[in-house]
Amino acid sequence: MLAIPEITDAPILRRNANLNTVPAPPSVPIRHWLRAFPRPFAATLIFLALTFAISLPLAAQQTPPRTRRLPDPNQQVTLPAQELQSLYQRLDAAEQRIQQIETRRLPPVHEASIYDTDNGIVPNRDEGLAERIEALEKEFNQQADDAAKKKAAGAKSPTHKWTGRTQADYWAFPNTSPGANAFENIIGTDPVADRFLFRRIRFGMAGEIPDQMIYKAEFDLNNPSRPQLKDVYLGWNDLPVFQTLLVGNQKRPYGLDALDSSRYTIFMERPLVVDAFTQDSRRFGICSYGVSDDIAYNWRFGSFLSQDLQNAGQDLAVDGDYQAEAAGRFANTLWYDDVSDGRNYAHWAVAGTVGSAAPAGGINSVARWRSRPEARTTNRWLDTGPIAGADSYQLLGVEGLVNLGPLQLCGEYMHMVTQREHDSTLNFSGGYFYLSYFLTGEHMAWDRESGTLDRVKPFQNFLFVRGSDDVRQRGCGAWQLAVRYSQGDFTDDNIAGGVGESVTFGLNWYWNPHAKLQLNYLYGSIDNRSPDDGYTAGTYSILGTRFMVDY
């Protein structure tokens, strides 16, 4: 289990005895954990505390609606003569305006004389009226035909909708041991640098192409010099058997936390094992998406190229091998409380993949499992490196989730088996468990068609909202607490990717359904890892802040 009280780099008894270790420095008492507590993060916490203390009482003090007192109908009202004359004038003007509008509805009717003075007979005015009505009907039908043609032409044109999200982060590393420093900087004496960054600056367009086709193109500009491909695909809806079929860059169907959109995740970064086994999640492939008629079951299955295209935009065969995989997920929302509008539900799913790797692929082999320490570091602190001789791998994952109003419990376990041509089979695994709770009573919404988290909708937006009766109301937004334990084991036989553990405490403040502030504090340890600067173990404390908006 995770040893939180001390920060040490104590040497760990390794599975591979040939790896060198360095004696650990003296342990540091827990009181020094936050001795380098970053001022920007402290200021943010103070701001949150003051805002929470002020906004909660304000939320309870709703501004009473303004009511208009109606006069008694039996009461006699006496108006001054001047005001009464003004009312008469306004009434006459309104009547004249109505008469003008009525007159313009039809072409003017030119009244004929009652008698034809030449012949002494009464003209038939019905003939002229019928002709005018016929002309109006013809014009009306022509306009209706033109509108129908315009609508039909529009239905044949592709639709489009712009989407985007921006996430601005601040990460601080107030206490990292020499081992953690070495995992980041190669040199144990160089501390891990604090950083501001844009985690995501994502823009995209999605829409439909008649008939049945859909498309999406999404790009991330968080590094302006190196744009990344995200969801870039085309597809078809309402197909027999396959239902929805997508071709292009898309998420592979495993890892609940990876399938959850970054707009809705409870913690700032994904767990160790999910980050390692999904590795940026998206790959080029073809995948089918289906859902049962009662929305209780959903599934995804497809085939993908295992190399990541987001930076290069292409996948080159390695030693004649495209390193493909077949993957799928079967999910079930076994309980969903419609009466409470989905405040209570339960979910389970099983997922997996079978893939091939290039044994002589070297650095281009996809048989490499690595993860950051659940924070935005430059390097991945847990890393098996490309596994020499690996020719195939299989992943099995199971997941479960229960939501009871403001309380949510979720867990996931993943196991990866990697075969090598002339060496033993390797086993890597990991999992996580988290608990979250809304202090303000909201709940985590659930999308039954995809089996993933959905958008949180605060009872009241922060700070001022305008009600339907044009009355300003005060609101504190939605406040959520969360804690997560995460573990990943990437060391087996002569491969020492490291064994990591971490505990993360989170505070989320949802200003409205499209914007929120996230705060994370995590403490973690890594051991049994291949040495950097002689260090095979390390511990760390990390603080993270994120401002996020999506649209």
Side-chain angles (χ1 to χ4, degrees):
M1 294 298 293
L2 183 63
I4 294 181
E6 295 185 348
I7 297 180
T8 68
D9 288 301
I12 305 298
L13 186 59
R14 304 178 57 79
R15 301 178 192 177
N16 179 11
N18 295 327
L19 294 174
N20 297 323
T21 61
V22 173
S27 61
V28 181
I30 190 173
R31 65 177 179 272
H32 292 289
W33 279 11
L34 302 180
R35 58 187 171 85
F37 199 92
R39 293 182 180 179
F41 197 85
T44 304
L45 288 178
I46 295 173
F47 167 71
L48 282 175
L50 292 174
T51 305
F52 187 67
I54 295 173
S55 59
L56 277 181
L58 292 179
Q61 299 176 2
Q62 299 295 325
T63 304
R66 293 175 294 181
T67 58
R68 178 177 297 175
R69 186 175 180 180
L70 298 176
D72 186 355
N74 298 321
Q75 182 180 359
Q76 185 175 1
V77 180
T78 302
L79 296 176
Q82 184 177 1
E83 183 175 350
L84 188 61
Q85 182 66 25
S86 175
L87 289 176
Y88 277 125
Q89 292 175 355
R90 290 169 60 188
L91 181 59
D92 291 340
E95 289 177 345
Q96 293 176 7
R97 180 60 179 163
I98 294 173
Q99 188 174 7
Q100 292 175 0
I101 294 174
E102 291 293 335
T103 303
R104 292 174 183 175
R105 294 179 61 184
L106 291 174
V109 179
H110 300 287
E111 295 289 346
S113 175
I114 297 179
Y115 293 99
D116 188 328
T117 55
D118 295 334
N119 301 313
I121 60 174
V122 178
N124 186 358
R125 290 184 296 170
D126 291 342
E127 291 182 1
L129 182 60
E131 291 174 357
R132 290 195 295 272
I133 292 176
E134 183 179 356
L136 288 174
E137 289 178 342
K138 184 178 180 179
E139 183 180 355
F140 175 79
N141 292 335
Q142 182 64 42
Q143 293 177 352
D145 291 342
D146 293 342
K149 291 178 181 179
K150 185 177 180 180
K151 183 176 180 181
K156 295 180 181 179
S157 302
T159 63
H160 64 274
K161 177 183 179 181
W162 283 98
T163 61
R165 73 194 71 168
T166 301
Q167 298 176 350
D169 287 12
Y170 169 70
W171 291 95
F173 301 82
N175 208 350
T176 55
S177 67
N181 296 337
F183 301 155
E184 174 72 358
N185 302 316
I186 311 301
I187 301 175
T189 56
D190 291 347
V192 182
D194 299 348
R195 61 204 65 189
F196 287 96
L197 56 94
F198 282 107
R199 179 64 175 90
R200 294 176 178 90
I201 306 177
R202 193 170 297 179
F203 297 96
M205 181 184 291
E208 299 179 354
I209 303 175
D211 292 318
Q212 291 185 287
M213 288 196 69
I214 58 176
Y215 72 92
K216 187 175 184 180
E218 190 176 54
F219 307 90
D220 203 320
L221 305 177
N222 64 329
N223 183 349
S225 63
R226 196 178 185 184
Q228 295 179 332
L229 301 177
K230 292 303 178 180
D231 286 330
V232 182
Y233 57 73
L234 57 87
W236 295 263
N237 278 328
D238 303 321
L239 296 176
V241 182
F242 296 105
Q243 297 194 20
T244 296
L245 188 68
L246 301 182
V247 179
N249 211 47
Q250 57 193 297
K251 287 187 175 182
R252 292 172 292 178
Y254 50 83
L256 172 61
D257 202 277
L259 295 175
D260 287 336
S261 171
S262 61
R263 297 170 295 171
Y264 312 140
T265 51
I266 296 175
F267 298 91
M268 294 174 61
E269 295 295 327
R270 309 196 188 276
L272 299 173
V273 66
V274 174
D275 189 28
F277 291 159
T278 63
Q279 298 188 57
D280 295 319
S281 186
R282 293 173 178 83
R283 298 294 186 272
F284 186 90
I286 179 170
C287 188
S288 169
Y289 299 75
V291 61
S292 62
D293 293 337
D294 60 358
I295 328 179
Y297 297 90
N298 65 85
W299 53 87
R300 313 178 186 193
F301 60 90
S303 179
F304 302 84
L305 299 176
S306 298
Q307 292 194 66
D308 192 352
L309 305 183
Q310 68 175 359
N311 294 317
Q314 62 180 353
D315 186 351
L316 302 178
V318 179
D319 195 25
D321 190 341
Y322 278 101
Q323 304 185 95
E325 65 177 291
R329 176 179 185 249
F330 182 80
N332 172 219
T333 304
L334 57 94
W335 171 48
Y336 190 87
D337 185 11
D338 286 296
V339 176
S340 64
D341 196 22
R343 285 180 58 84
N344 306 297
Y345 53 86
H347 153 87
W348 69 270
V350 59
T353 186
V354 176
S356 66
I363 62 173
N364 294 318
S365 173
V366 298
R368 180 181 188 179
W369 321 120
R370 53 182 180 165
S371 174
R372 290 183 171 88
E374 300 179 359
R376 293 311 292 179
T377 55
T378 303
N379 292 323
R380 290 174 168 85
W381 295 6
L382 294 158
D383 190 356
T384 64
I387 300 175
D391 60 357
S392 62
Y393 57 90
Q394 301 83 40
L395 170 70
L396 177 65
V398 292
E399 62 194 61
L401 182 148
V402 176
N403 195 92
L404 303 171
L407 176 68
Q408 183 169 104
L409 300 91
C410 178
E412 187 171 5
Y413 175 80
M414 306 176 81
H415 188 96
M416 178 73 74
V417 179
T418 305
Q419 287 85 15
R420 296 183 287 183
E421 278 188 332
H422 307 295
D423 215 329
S424 61
T425 297
L426 302 171
N427 289 273
F428 308 113
S429 62
Y432 67 89
F433 173 86
Y434 74 73
L435 182 150
S436 66
Y437 184 81
F438 276 98
L439 300 175
T440 46
E442 290 83 356
H443 72 284
M444 293 298 301
W446 185 253
D447 187 340
R448 286 183 284 175
E449 294 191 11
S450 63
T452 56
L453 293 178
D454 207 346
R455 188 179 302 278
V456 172
K457 297 179 180 179
F459 292 150
Q460 292 180 327
N461 292 344
F462 175 81
L463 181 58
F464 293 99
V465 295
R466 187 181 297 277
S468 58
D469 54 357
D470 199 33
V471 176
R472 288 193 176 275
Q473 299 175 341
R474 299 178 179 88
C476 63
W479 293 77
Q480 182 185 38
L481 295 176
V483 59
R484 178 178 69 190
Y485 170 77
S486 175
Q487 189 268 351
D489 184 351
F490 310 105
T491 294
D492 191 24
D493 196 35
N494 60 341
I495 302 297
V499 179
E501 289 183 286
S502 70
V503 173
T504 303
F505 300 93
L507 171 64
N508 298 324
W509 183 17
Y510 299 83
W511 297 327
N512 55 62
H514 295 271
K516 66 181 176 180
L517 169 66
Q518 291 183 283
L519 296 176
N520 280 185
Y521 168 79
L522 63 99
Y523 174 83
S525 66
I526 296 175
D527 58 57
N528 215 9
R529 184 192 185 277
S530 58
D532 274 328
D533 198 24
Y535 292 95
T536 62
T539 56
Y540 50 88
S541 297
I542 303 176
L543 296 165
T545 306
R546 172 171 297 167
F547 296 88
M548 192 206 82
V549 62
D550 74 275
Y551 39 89

